[in-house]
Amino acid sequence: MLTYQEALDFLYSFVDYSATRLVKYSAQTFDLSRMTALLELLGNPQRRFLSLHVAGTKGKGSVAAMCASALTAAGYRTGFYTSPHLQDFCERMQVDGQLIDPAELADIVDGLRALAPRVPGLTTFELTTALAFEHFARRSVEVAVVEVGLGGRLDATNVITPLVSVITSLSYDHMDLLGPTLTAIAGEKAGIIKPGVPVVVSPQAPEALAVLEQVAAERGAPLTLLGRDWQARPVAHTLEGQTLEVWSAEEARQANALRAAGYPARWRPARLEIPLLGAHQVENAATAYAALQALRARALPMAAEAIRAGLAQVRWPGRFEILRRRPYVVVDGAHNRDSARRLAAALDDYFPGRRVFLVFGASADKDIAGMLAELQPRLTRLIVTQAVHPRALEPEQIVALLGDQAAGLPVETCAPAAAALRRALELAGPEDVVLACGSLFVAAEVRAAQAALTASV
């Protein structure tokens, strides 16, 4: 029997494309036939539960987490598969919010170890996905929320036929793998759209939406678009959470028809509360709500109160998460220009006028200049660091990449991330903000470092 660490060592002994980007993202490299063959050997565990499939560039994890929380609140035994993990590998596969037990993970991996030689070329992510599906089947999961790892068309998760598919906001990321344009990226993400399976789509740039609509039409997949078929608006926000309203175009049409006919319209939009911060999370919550309504229409009954409770109870750490006050320490997984733009807007919403000390690190394949261009107007000082990850750039390389872009902004290097946090806290006053972003790995390490500092007090 494997130990937990031996199981992780086995998984990571295979090719891990999250740690290296040395090959092209293509059907020759990411071949779904390997995944299909492995699942056949396991007895096709993915066929033993219903599923919701979530792809996108930004927001897919948040939407998936909200949907999983709502399904659990509605009484369904719910699986949740996500990647990457923030601090513990077991975070990747959960049932009703409970992480897989390390002993069960080791037991399933022990079985995969016996099967792996029969499927040449397997990757770490393919084995991990099979592990999650087997865990869900063993735990008699009724419905699983499955987040795509990378892209969609060739992703290992794309062997499922879900009740509903979801595609969240698309922007420029992983261009070396998915293509240099939004049209190309949308083509890869649209690969999760299945014939006849409804797809819920967040607001998109016109060129991305055109691709999604074309693929949906070709496959006979009814497409629901946030901003057209569903609307949402923020109501209020604090540092503890925010309130929003969401309604369908059909609800609004019926209410307007009643008013036009002279009848009193008692209808009000659904009011939701979420603990996740930032205007972008209003869009994500509305996308999740629309996806849950689509699941209800596909014979998964859910009470409105259960949906509200599930969204109110969701936990999704590392996304504009406030770890302490005086000074504020905030971590965010923003790692492309679009997410940095949304992060800058959140700083203006929640911390207007406050000085911001940024702890920043990023992987070599990211738009570092673009991210910092969005954040720089809000910064007092930039502290460049490096996460413990194979693709993380050294701080000096990041500074060199910035060149004259950082002119006028005090910049220093400090690694590892825990040391960078300590340095930022030395510089920041009690009313200031220490922000860590650029990579989910940086967010995770700063989060762990802040937890250690809190425990030592």
Side-chain angles (χ1 to χ4, degrees):
M1 176 65 181
L2 294 175
T3 65
Y4 175 57
Q5 187 57 54
E6 287 170 341
L8 295 184
D9 291 343
F10 172 78
L11 291 173
Y12 284 123
S13 70
F14 290 78
V15 177
D16 181 9
Y17 292 115
S18 69
T20 180
R21 292 282 193 259
L22 299 180
V23 296
K24 184 174 175 57
Y25 182 77
S26 67
Q28 288 71 45
T29 303
F30 293 84
D31 184 356
L32 290 182
S33 67
R34 291 193 304 268
M35 193 67 197
T36 301
L38 179 59
L39 292 173
E40 285 280 355
L41 293 173
L42 278 173
N44 286 309
Q46 80 281 6
R47 297 179 185 170
R48 291 163 57 187
F49 49 83
L50 304 172
S51 59
L52 174 72
H53 204 191
V54 186
T57 306
K58 296 303 302 175
K60 62 187 173 80
S62 297
V63 170
M66 285 189 257
C67 287
S69 183
L71 285 163
T72 295
Y76 292 102
R77 193 161 179 79
T78 304
F80 178 32
Y81 179 51
T82 183
S83 62
H85 59 277
L86 194 61
Q87 290 173 306
D88 183 344
F89 190 89
C90 290
E91 296 168 18
R92 295 182 179 225
M93 51 220 74
Q94 307 174 26
V95 175
D96 290 340
Q98 298 299 309
L99 279 56
I100 186 174
D101 184 87
E104 182 177 354
L105 183 146
D107 182 59
I108 296 175
V109 171
D110 203 24
L112 290 172
R113 182 175 61 164
L115 299 176
R118 298 168 62 181
V119 187
L122 284 169
T123 68
T124 295
F125 188 70
E126 288 165 347
L127 285 161
T128 303
T129 302
L131 159 62
F133 291 168
E134 177 66 14
H135 173 55
F136 296 160
R138 288 189 182 189
R139 292 291 170 175
S140 301
V141 158
E142 296 171 274
V143 57
V145 180
V146 178
E147 180 191 352
V148 167
L150 174 66
R153 179 174 64 96
L154 299 172
D155 189 76
T157 64
N158 203 27
V159 294
I160 60 174
T161 300
L163 286 177
V164 175
S165 302
V166 180
I167 299 178
T168 64
S169 175
L170 302 183
S171 57
Y172 291 98
D173 202 8
H174 302 298
M175 289 92 77
D176 54 330
L177 304 175
L178 304 180
T181 66
L182 277 183
T183 298
I185 292 169
E188 293 296 334
K189 306 290 184 179
I192 72 163
I193 299 175
K194 302 294 193 303
V197 175
V199 56
V200 174
V201 177
S202 297
Q204 306 289 345
E207 61 268 41
L209 180 59
V211 173
L212 300 181
E213 289 183 322
Q214 178 183 343
V215 173
E218 290 171 351
R219 298 179 185 174
L223 188 147
T224 297
L225 178 62
L226 194 68
R228 181 189 69 194
D229 305 308
W230 286 90
Q231 301 284 345
R233 64 180 173 224
V235 174
H237 67 264
T238 68
L239 292 178
E240 281 69 45
Q242 55 187 328
T243 304
L244 66 141
E245 290 182 336
V246 59
W247 66 95
S248 71
E250 178 59 21
E251 288 172 327
R253 187 194 66 76
Q254 291 178 4
N256 290 335
L258 284 172
R259 292 190 185 101
Y263 295 98
R266 295 184 176 87
W267 169 83
R268 293 290 182 273
R271 181 164 286 207
L272 308 173
E273 295 181 357
I274 56 172
L276 307 180
L277 306 182
H280 57 289
Q281 293 293 4
V282 171
E283 177 182 301
N284 292 334
T287 300
Y289 188 84
L292 292 163
Q293 299 306 316
L295 285 174
R296 290 177 72 183
R298 298 274 283 175
L300 270 187
M302 280 175 274
E305 182 52 42
I307 293 176
R308 284 195 294 271
L311 294 181
Q313 295 163 6
V314 67
R315 290 193 69 257
W316 194 230
R319 283 76 178 179
F320 205 76
E321 181 184 13
I322 300 173
L323 302 179
R324 64 169 278 180
R325 305 188 184 200
R326 299 187 62 81
Y328 293 94
V329 174
V330 182
V331 294
D332 190 88
H335 59 266
N336 72 358
R337 185 163 190 161
D338 183 64
S339 58
R341 183 182 303 115
R342 297 181 183 218
L343 175 55
L347 287 172
D348 288 338
D349 282 344
Y350 290 88
F351 301 109
R354 295 181 188 268
R355 298 195 304 168
V356 177
F357 295 79
L358 177 62
V359 175
F360 180 89
S363 298
D365 60 333
K366 301 303 178 184
D367 181 8
I368 292 168
M371 283 190 279
L372 288 173
E374 299 295 339
L375 293 167
Q376 188 167 345
R378 290 291 282 110
L379 302 183
T380 299
R381 180 179 290 265
L382 172 61
I383 303 171
V384 185
T385 191
Q386 182 179 19
V388 181
H389 190 272
R391 289 191 293 114
L393 277 179
E394 293 183 2
E396 293 74 16
Q397 292 177 289
I398 292 177
V399 173
L401 282 173
L402 293 176
D404 294 339
Q405 181 183 342
L409 176 67
V411 179
E412 61 183 275
T413 61
C414 186
L421 171 63
R422 290 194 296 271
R423 173 61 177 157
L425 289 172
E426 290 173 2
L427 295 167
E431 301 303 318
D432 295 334
V433 178
V434 173
L435 170 67
C437 74
S439 158
L440 195 61
F441 309 110
V442 168
E445 290 180 29
V446 169
R447 194 171 186 270
Q450 178 57 53
L453 289 174
T454 302
S456 66
V457 174

